[in-house]
Amino acid sequence: MNAPKENNKTLRRPYKVEQKPLWWLDNSYYFRYMIRESTSLIVLIYGLVIVVGLLRLTQGPYMWQGWVETVSSPLMFPLHLLALLAVVYHAYTWFKLAPRIMALRISGKPVSDQKVEWAHWIVMLGVTVACLLVASCGGALL
Amino acid sequence: MNSEHDIPNSSTMRVEVQRYRPELDARPWWQAFDVPYTNDTSVLEALQYIKDELDSSLSFRWSCRMAICGSCGFMINGVPKLGCKSFLRDYGALKIAALDNFPIERDLVADISGFVEKLETVKPYLMREDPSDLDTSVPISRAFNQTPQQLSLYKQFSQCINCGICYAACPQFGRDPEFLGPAALTLAYRYNQDSRDQGKKDRMPLLNAEEGVWGCTFVGYCSEVCPKSVDPAAAINQGKAASAIDYALNLVQLGGDK
Ligand code: SF4
Ligand code: FES
């Protein structure tokens, strides 16, 4: 940044520091933020795998069977594990932030952040268990 | 004034200070000083000691020395903090620089004028639909009462001292100086949440803009470093909910801002 043009007598010469490309390596808080954000990439990739599965399902039993075999191959195991870890970590960070976004009040009184966080965990566990139940019962019916 | 610096047998600490003299220096550089200190010596006092006793050419901003004027924000060992609210006893050695993400005017003085202008753009005052409500030429004839509950909706967000520390902690502001940033967005939200205010529709376009709430990615470091526990990240992200609702209302033409 240069001194203002209209006053060339000024000795002002503010020094502008550009943000470093790897700014997030300088500070552990920023580093954890980048980890948090990058977990969503893994979740995105896994989501795409599931979408492909849905597509295969619409294309008939043969295609579906192929997809099931692909995703259950041992080579895919690391992706499943990575996706699970990423989802749990992302949920953990998100549930920590959610209470501050919601600012929930019940009959005028603010609900503590911890309660909102726990409520998120309970709902997630409930939904997970319900999905697993439906999935395994559906399998039993076949 | 120096009596407390002169306490015998006090320890000394190596304090490195970032210098930048625009008329002499091409870029900032570090200058080291040994500063005596006691249990209650603040970083601001250490700087004052340097200026009084060691090098009078050092420039830095301060006024209240009690964490209320917001002038003495510095990067202290890489973390943005108020100098008067940080103490030498908590450090082994010190590196003090001007606040990150702002142009350096001289030494430890960051040029925060862009930040102050942003505060002004968000219309940080009570607005009423009926202008006679604000008519100061007639005696005040009625009160705009507020319940403790209504107060609690914005009280925390009104504690800001405009120190700019949250801007030094915001990589989005560091990347794009046009981003309205933590304190200004919090201030806008604070007035939107005030039951006496009716100016929300004038502020929503600012919040909805790309430089508004959506420029924030909830890094959250602003709230971590804020010396007044304002929690700007919470205000901005609650503002996102308000902005999304405003957008949806506009879509179905039910109002919101124009
Ligand atoms: S929100 Fe906090 S850190 Fe930001 S300017 Fe206000 S007091 Fe300072
Ligand atoms: S001197 Fe006023 S906040 Fe530090």
Side-chain angles (χ1 to χ4, degrees):
Chain A
M1 209 191 237
N2 289 314
K5 295 259 165 2
E6 65 275 11
N7 179 2
N8 44 24
K9 280 204 201 91
T10 183
L11 289 175
R12 280 195 68 194
R13 202 161 53 83
Y15 186 83
K16 184 93 186 65
V17 189
E18 290 299 322
Q19 187 177 52
K20 289 191 238 162
L22 294 177
W23 54 269
W24 47 276
L25 286 179
D26 288 349
N27 177 313
S28 68
Y29 200 95
Y30 294 156
F31 186 74
R32 271 177 286 140
Y33 159 76
M34 282 310 247
I35 299 285
R36 180 192 100 194
E37 294 298 287
S38 49
T39 53
S40 57
L41 259 173
I42 302 169
V43 175
L44 171 77
I45 293 169
Y46 200 76
L48 288 176
V49 172
I50 305 275
V51 168
V52 170
L54 275 177
L55 200 71
R56 292 289 174 261
L57 191 59
T58 64
Q59 291 166 338
Y62 178 72
M63 297 299 272
W64 167 248
Q65 201 53 43
W67 182 81
V68 170
E69 268 159 32
T70 316
V71 291
S72 38
S73 89
L75 278 179
M76 289 290 276
F77 183 74
L79 178 68
H80 295 301
L81 186 69
L82 199 65
L84 181 68
L85 291 177
V87 163
V88 171
Y89 184 72
H90 202 86
Y92 164 78
T93 56
W94 175 245
F95 293 173
K96 272 228 165 319
L97 296 179
R100 285 159 60 202
I101 305 175
M102 296 171 68
L104 213 60
R105 275 156 198 272
I106 291 176
S107 59
K109 288 224 170 67
V111 184
S112 81
D113 284 5
Q114 253 165 11
K115 280 197 188 129
V116 179
E117 195 186 332
W118 289 343
H120 275 82
W121 279 112
I122 291 167
V123 170
M124 172 158 130
L125 285 179
V127 171
T128 308
V129 168
C131 286
L132 287 175
L133 276 180
V134 169
S136 52
C137 291
L141 287 180
L142 282 176
Chain B
M1 146 127 209
N2 281 330
S3 59
E4 66 198 56
H5 297 317
D6 296 334
I7 290 170
N9 304 326
S10 64
S11 350
T12 60
M13 186 180 289
R14 171 56 50 119
V15 178
E16 282 182 85
V17 179
Q18 195 180 50
R19 301 299 308 269
Y20 171 65
R21 299 160 302 174
E23 69 283 9
L24 294 172
D25 304 327
R27 62 186 60 82
W29 52 284
W30 293 96
Q31 189 177 11
F33 301 97
D34 288 314
V35 178
Y37 72 103
T38 61
N39 202 32
D40 56 4
T41 306
S42 68
V43 168
L44 177 63
E45 283 172 304
L47 292 173
Q48 287 168 329
Y49 178 87
I50 293 170
K51 192 168 174 72
D52 290 347
E53 310 286 337
L54 305 175
D55 187 339
S56 60
S57 72
L58 180 67
S59 295
F60 53 96
R61 292 176 60 227
W62 66 282
S63 174
C64 70
R65 40 113 185 91
M66 49 189 272
I68 200 63
C69 74
S71 307
C72 68
F74 310 112
M75 300 303 293
I76 302 178
N77 289 3
V79 176
K81 277 173 170 288
L82 291 179
C84 64
K85 209 174 175 243
S86 311
F87 295 88
L88 269 64
R89 58 168 186 259
D90 297 323
Y91 297 90
L94 274 178
K95 280 187 104 157
I96 310 172
L99 283 182
D100 270 356
N101 299 337
F102 293 108
I104 303 172
E105 185 69 37
R106 168 184 292 273
D107 295 340
L108 301 176
V109 180
D111 176 10
I112 62 163
S113 50
F115 158 55
V116 176
E117 275 161 33
K118 288 192 168 90
L119 288 175
E120 288 166 4
T121 61
V122 300
K123 304 181 195 286
Y125 36 80
L126 293 177
M127 291 190 273
R128 301 289 297 179
E129 263 152 23
D130 180 355
S132 71
D133 287 345
L134 297 171
D135 189 355
T136 47
S137 64
V138 293
I140 297 168
S141 55
R142 68 187 173 111
F144 297 93
N145 290 338
Q146 209 164 38
T147 65
Q149 223 176 75
Q150 288 169 325
L151 174 68
S152 73
L153 284 177
Y154 70 83
K155 185 168 182 229
Q156 176 187 18
F157 303 137
S158 68
Q159 303 298 303
C160 174
I161 57 172
N162 305 339
C163 61
I165 280 179
C166 48
Y167 285 70
C170 177
Q172 294 299 345
F173 175 67
R175 192 182 60 82
D176 174 16
E178 295 301 308
F179 175 42
L180 275 177
L185 289 168
T186 302
L187 193 60
Y189 188 67
R190 170 249 176 280
Y191 279 95
N192 282 351
Q193 289 287 93
D194 193 319
S195 58
R196 300 164 297 179
D197 178 77
Q198 296 172 333
K200 190 173 175 184
K201 64 175 180 319
D202 288 340
R203 291 187 202 99
M204 281 325 278
L206 289 160
L207 296 191
N208 295 342
E210 209 175 310
E211 298 76 33
V213 288
W214 301 103
C216 165
T217 54
F218 215 149
V219 178
Y221 196 41
C222 54
S223 295
E224 193 77 9
V225 296
C226 171
K228 291 309 208 183
S229 304
V230 171
D231 201 352
I236 298 172
N237 286 280
Q238 288 171 33
K240 281 183 192 165
S243 173
I245 292 169
D246 190 66
Y247 175 76
L249 287 180
N250 273 327
L251 267 191
V252 294
Q253 313 264 305
L254 268 178
D257 74 85
K258 314 278 119 62

